[in-house]
């Protein structure tokens, strides 16, 4: 199905309008605290259409998106309540979809604060393990927060996610006025220029697709990139 034939954007906008029209009103005898919680939850649902942290996390399991969501929710609550931390604390600052990653990170960080490796779950194992040097414990903080492991970096992965989404968005928009082959060429050249300015290696690889390689392999690689990018997009076009 081509982009202009797709009904996904229309359904997405209809759902967004429905949420906008469902702004909560104070119920009879409802106190300020209860209304605050409902109103902030509604506002977070609206804003979720624009930052897509939940979609990104569900597709990638990258905890970067959980931390971004926590930051956004905290700022939304503080802004709504004029910087009143007491009132802001009533809002649901940790979403259900990010609770597992959040609790895991907090538990691992707590273990490090006791100079214990974050991967030791059993009390007996912790008792038998020699305490970490405090400098070593500090070096393990990124791992405790789920931001790195052997051969993987959460920040680089998030940067790659953004490039994939951008590639899919550009390609789908270009196809409205260009044939698929020309649209693919324009996207690849555009990402090569981005790499030259920013140094993002993923953009470089995207721009180099087809450069001296088998055209069929390049096409399949490009299709995989587009498929991944579309999964990470909010409108799922």
């Amino acid at each position: 199905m081509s982009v202009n034939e797709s009904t996904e954007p229309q359904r997405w906008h209809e759902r967004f309008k429905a949420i906008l029209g469902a702004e909560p009103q104070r119920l009879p005898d409802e106190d300020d605290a209860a209304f605050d919680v409902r109103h902030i939850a509604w506002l977070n649902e609206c804003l979720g259409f624009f930052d897509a942290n939940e979609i990104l996390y569900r597709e990638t399991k990258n905890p970067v998106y959980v931390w971004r969501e926590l930051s956004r929710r905290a700022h939304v609550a503080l802004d709504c309540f004029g910087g009143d931390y007491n009132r802001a604390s009533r809002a649901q600052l940790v979403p259900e979809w990010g609770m597992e990653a959040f609790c895991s990170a907090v538990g691992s960080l707590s273990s490090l604060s006791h100079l214990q490796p974050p991967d030791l779950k059993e009390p007996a194992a912790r008792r038998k393990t020699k305490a970490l040097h405090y400098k070593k414990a500090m070096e393990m903080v990124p791992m405790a927060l789920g931001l790195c492991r052997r051969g993987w970096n959460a920040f680089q992965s998030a940067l790659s996610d953004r490039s994939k989404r951008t590639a899919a968005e550009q390609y789908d928009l270009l196809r409205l006025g260009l044939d698929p082959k020309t649209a693919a060429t324009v996207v690849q050249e555009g990402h090569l220029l981005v790499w030259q300015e920013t140094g993002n290696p993923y953009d470089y690889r995207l721009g180099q697709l087809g450069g001296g390689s088998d055209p069929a392999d390049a096409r399949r690689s490009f299709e995989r990139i587009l498929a991944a990018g579309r999964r990470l997009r909010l409108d799922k076009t």
Side-chain angles (χ1 to χ4, degrees), residues 113-131:
S113 74
H114 293 287
L115 302 181
Q116 293 291 331
D119 55 347
L120 298 179
K121 305 302 182 183
E122 298 298 328
R126 291 199 296 270
R127 287 194 296 269
K128 295 178 181 179
T129 302
K130 183 179 179 181

Side-chain angles (χ1 to χ4, degrees), residues 8-9 18 24 39 42 44 51 58 81 86 101 103 105 113 116 144 150 156 162 169-170 201 204 212 215 232:
E8 281 300 322
H39 197 265
W42 169 81
N44 278 321
D51 53 29
R58 290 191 188 281
F81 301 136
N86 182 49
C103 289
S113 74
Q116 293 291 331
R150 186 180 296 277
Q156 185 178 33
R162 186 173 64 185
E169 289 165 357
Q170 290 174 335
Y204 174 72
L232 299 173

Side-chain angles (χ1 to χ4, degrees), residues 5-53:
E5 294 173 336
S6 173
T7 60
E8 281 300 322
Q10 181 180 355
R11 286 200 293 266
W12 179 79
H13 286 298
E14 288 175 353
R15 183 184 168 204
F16 184 46
K17 286 193 297 184
I19 289 178
L20 282 179
E23 181 175 2
Q25 303 299 315
R26 190 182 296 274
L27 300 174
D29 302 323
E30 185 176 30
D31 60 24
D32 289 342
F35 178 69
D36 285 348
V37 170
R38 289 200 305 115
H39 197 265
I40 290 293
W42 169 81
L43 185 57
N44 278 321
E45 187 176 4
C46 289
L47 294 176
F49 273 85
F50 301 104
D51 53 29
N53 288 322

